[in-house]
Amino acid sequence: MDRDGLYQRQVIERARAPAHAGPLEGATGRGEGTNPMCGDRVRIGIWFDGDGRIGTVRHQARGCAICLASADMMAELAVGQDQGGAVTMGRSFAALLQTGQDGGVRPELMVFAPLRQHRSRIRCATLAWSALEAALTGTPAEDSKDG
Amino acid sequence: MDVPPVVMLDPIDSLRDRRADFPILGETVHGRPLVFLDSAASAQKPVQVIDAMGDAMRTQYANIHRGLHWMSERTTDAYEAVRGQVAGLIGAPAREEVIFTRNSTEAINLVAYSFGSLMRPGQAVVISEMEHHANLVPWQMLRDRTGIELRVAPITDDGDLELDALERLLADGKVALVAVTHMSNVLGTVTPARRIADIAHAAGARVLFDGSQFVVHRRVDVQAIDADFYTFTGHKLYGPTGIGVLWGRRELLDAMPPFMGGGDMISTVTFEHSTWAGLPHKFEAGTPAIIETIGLGAAISYIEAIGYEAIAAHEAALVAYALPRLAEVPGLHVVGAPAERGGVISFTMDDVHPHDIATLLDRNGIAVRAGHHCAEPLMRRLGLSATARASFALYTTREEVDALVSTLTQIRGFFV
Ligand SMILES: Cc1ncc(COP(=O)(O)O)c(C=O)c1O
């Protein structure tokens, strides 16, 4: 069977056993991203640490393996970022998938790069980042346009 | 003289030679032979349809119903001949009762708008829990526009319509129309059309069947099932996109106002007033899909030449083969177990989301659909957010089912 570069072991493992899944009691920021095309949904909760940086992220993701793995990786990579840094991180990830331009995307995220070949699945990976941006900026996440 | 030996083919193999009629089936996807199991979304086209459309554009084309010249008259004849073919295909008593639309969606919208405009607040339309959005949203729009009520007939967990509940929904005599699918695009359920029509008529309601899926697999006789309206769409029936059909009883269509205004649908026009053309032209405003209609005619000829008996037997054999084979895949669950199933099988797999299934199948050349299949309320009713769906056509083979089953088994193994 051809598994496609997309379904690397670490993606499957993350989806199956996410390290940052679950509700976050007393979260100071909450956000949601939904994809009406497929019914996927990611809800996140954030705690900030003392100096306004992201201290903890938890996600509750309902979706495919790409969606789950991406949400879990987002929850890991966003920690330590301030608002601007986290938003930029999400946007450059989306740009990588949509245009192929690698504008300083964290190397961990490159496992999702093969999504370039599956335009209809890009939204699966960016959903969690939309939810994060919604939580940080207080605006509702934009529904699936890019997917 | 030598008499050729009679070869009795298993029905599952009986249409094998017809694959050669579909040029696209020779294509490869990601370097593998295409296994196309998404025909319920749209079927592939035989060369007979492709050529008919090309030939029309190459040799016999002009606008219809208005030219006084040879090309226009010939093209009008070709276009109108398809109306007769459709009437024959579905057993309509009169060709004027066949209205060409863009697709099934437009046909249902036409009824919702036109028949709906004769309905009064307090009256109701009944649909079922397993409708495609095409047979749901137009009725919600009608409800919001005119204040009618929209009622939903439940289905069983197996995916069959609950006829007792349907009867109860009709009991107060307020229902003007029952609009239900003749075959579910998600569950494969073939609904008992005649019984539904009898139930509707006994309560003084009319009945519309969404035949988008059914006509692909079985012969429909609109008189035998006592339908009042019937709709289908050309692209699922091996024809082109852009052409669909509404059939309705003459007395109903006559009483209904036009859906759209413009050329072709009028009798006389002054600046103050217009009068409408008779059937079917009253409902066909503007230049229709001439080439596509000719393509639909070729598709109908193609199907008639093979015969619905052969098509239905092939498909029943495929479904009977596929269901137990799919059950061999660890963690796989077929959705629904309707009393009568056409060539559509939706399924889920433990630990693997339908989108991941579809993407990985695609990597291996196998096209299925995954998602809510334009039936979100049905998904909610089933407690699912999405399913994967394999659907069969007359060109589907046993080996393609085998390829599906073995690839699914590998996918599942990869995820657990
Ligand atoms: C049961 C059913 N009804 C209606 C439709 C709508 O067909 P179309 O999009 O051609 O109007 C479909 C196809 O998607 C269908 O499967």
Side-chain angles (χ1 to χ4, degrees):
Chain A
M1 186 186 75
D2 181 350
R3 294 202 302 250
D4 189 355
L6 181 56
Y7 288 91
Q8 295 179 30
R9 204 69 244 172
Q10 57 194 122
V11 170
I12 304 286
E13 293 301 340
R14 276 250 183 205
R16 190 162 49 190
H20 309 282
L24 186 61
E25 295 298 324
T28 38
R30 290 187 192 281
E32 179 175 307
T34 59
N35 184 353
M37 293 291 286
C38 63
D40 285 3
R41 187 190 68 205
V42 179
R43 288 188 174 145
I44 67 156
I46 305 178
W47 270 339
F48 293 93
D49 65 15
D51 25 290
R53 291 180 181 274
I54 296 172
T56 307
V57 183
R58 289 275 181 277
H59 63 86
Q60 291 168 282
R62 181 185 73 192
C64 60
I66 307 300
C67 173
L68 268 62
S70 175
D72 208 57
M73 211 171 279
M74 178 279 293
E76 186 172 308
L77 296 180
V79 169
Q81 297 290 319
D82 60 14
Q83 174 175 337
V87 169
T88 304
M89 199 180 255
R91 291 196 181 168
S92 50
F93 178 49
L96 166 78
L97 301 183
Q98 280 151 16
T99 67
Q101 268 160 18
D102 173 10
V105 170
R106 290 279 288 262
E108 295 92 324
L109 291 172
M110 293 308 284
V111 287
F112 296 107
L115 274 175
R116 282 262 313 128
Q117 307 305 319
H118 300 274
R119 297 211 59 78
S120 57
R121 301 292 305 276
I122 289 176
R123 181 71 180 161
C124 305
T126 58
L127 205 54
W129 292 93
S130 303
L132 176 66
E133 188 167 334
L136 292 171
T137 60
T139 47
E142 207 181 321
D143 276 350
S144 168
K145 292 232 175 83
D146 47 358
Chain B
M1 197 178 79
D2 278 349
V3 179
V6 178
V7 184
M8 291 298 284
L9 276 182
D10 185 332
I12 205 169
D13 297 317
S14 60
L15 300 180
R16 196 168 281 274
D17 292 349
R18 298 274 65 81
R19 276 181 77 81
D21 297 332
F22 294 80
I24 207 168
L25 297 179
E27 293 293 310
T28 56
V29 171
H30 305 304
R32 316 223 172 188
L34 171 64
V35 174
F36 192 76
L37 299 176
D38 193 22
S39 296
S42 201
Q44 300 299 349
K45 321 303 176 199
V47 71
Q48 288 82 347
V49 168
I50 299 166
D51 286 353
M53 296 172 75
D55 288 348
M57 284 184 278
R58 260 185 230 103
T59 64
Q60 185 201 287
Y61 178 74
N63 209 333
I64 58 170
H65 296 147
R66 37 191 105 179
L68 296 176
H69 51 80
W70 191 86
M71 271 293 175
S72 175
E73 285 171 356
R74 287 283 305 275
T75 309
T76 302
D77 289 347
Y79 175 86
E80 288 299 332
V82 180
R83 206 184 297 282
Q85 276 186 283
V86 171
L89 182 81
I90 65 172
R95 55 188 300 288
E96 298 78 29
E97 297 175 340
V98 172
I99 314 290
F100 288 126
T101 62
R102 259 190 319 140
N103 46 36
S104 218
T105 302
E106 187 176 277
I108 297 169
N109 273 276
L110 190 162
V111 178
Y113 178 88
S114 257
F115 183 78
S117 74
L118 304 173
M119 290 176 63
R120 294 287 155 253
Q123 288 192 294
V125 170
V126 175
I127 59 170
S128 86
E129 279 181 330
M130 58 179 158
E131 297 311 316
H132 188 281
H133 294 166
N135 193 32
L136 163 58
V137 180
W139 306 112
Q140 290 175 334
M141 290 167 68
L142 174 67
R143 175 196 65 197
D144 297 344
R145 201 167 57 234
T146 66
I148 62 135
E149 191 192 334
L150 184 56
R151 300 179 182 175
V152 184
I155 58 168
T156 64
D157 290 339
D158 281 346
D160 284 308
L161 201 56
E162 284 195 34
L163 294 177
D164 295 346
L166 174 68
E167 241 172 321
R168 285 195 294 278
L169 285 176
L170 287 152
D172 64 5
K174 290 184 177 169
V175 176
L177 183 73
V178 175
V180 291
T181 189
H182 199 184
M183 177 178 151
S184 163
N185 61 310
V186 177
L187 301 165
T189 311
V190 171
T191 57
R194 178 63 202 230
R195 289 192 57 201
I196 294 167
D198 289 347
I199 290 170
H201 292 153
R206 299 292 185 169
V207 61
L208 174 148
F209 292 105
D210 172 2
S212 307
Q213 296 292 341
F214 186 90
V215 293
V216 183
H217 306 285
R218 316 274 175 91
R219 178 179 291 284
V220 61
D221 182 328
V222 293
Q223 295 186 74
I225 62 172
D226 209 15
D228 296 300
F229 297 105
Y230 201 92
T231 73
F232 70 90
T233 194
H235 66 96
K236 295 185 201 281
L237 192 64
Y238 311 103
T241 50
I243 180 68
V245 167
L246 166 68
W247 169 82
R249 282 180 198 270
R250 183 196 301 271
E251 65 270 26
L252 295 175
L253 295 174
D254 271 337
M256 286 157 52
F259 178 41
M260 288 190 269
D264 252 5
M265 53 74 70
I266 41 74
S267 167
T268 60
V269 178
T270 66
F271 278 117
E272 291 72 36
H273 188 68
S274 302
T275 55
W276 314 136
L279 293 178
H281 306 293
K282 179 170 87 173
F283 291 109
E284 291 180 9
T287 299
I290 299 167
I291 308 288
E292 290 79 0
T293 305
I294 289 168
L296 175 64
I300 293 173
S301 299
Y302 183 75
I303 284 168
E304 297 276 26
I306 295 174
Y308 269 110
E309 295 64 28
I311 289 173
H314 164 257
E315 184 183 276
L318 263 181
V319 170
Y321 178 71
L323 285 173
R325 293 259 22 226
L326 284 167
E328 291 167 18
V329 180
L332 187 144
H333 308 280
V334 169
V335 179
E340 202 182 340
R341 182 197 287 274
V344 167
I345 302 177
S346 283
F347 57 91
T348 59
M349 213 176 355
D350 294 341
D351 307 306
V352 195
H353 191 279
H355 289 141
D356 297 320
I357 296 174
T359 297
L360 283 163
L361 286 174
D362 176 62
R363 275 316 290 188
N364 293 275
I366 304 172
V368 300
R369 182 153 176 200
H372 55 55
H373 315 289
C374 295
E376 271 190 79
L378 172 61
M379 290 292 134
R380 230 163 275 133
R381 160 67 181 84
L382 299 169
L384 301 167
S385 65
T387 73
R389 179 187 72 185
S391 52
F392 304 148
L394 65 85
Y395 41 72
T396 308
T397 63
R398 181 205 306 262
E399 289 76 11
E400 289 180 311
V401 173
D402 291 340
L404 173 70
V405 167
S406 69
T407 311
L408 284 171
T409 305
Q410 291 170 44
I411 290 172
R412 160 83 181 172
F414 179 56
F415 271 79
V416 291

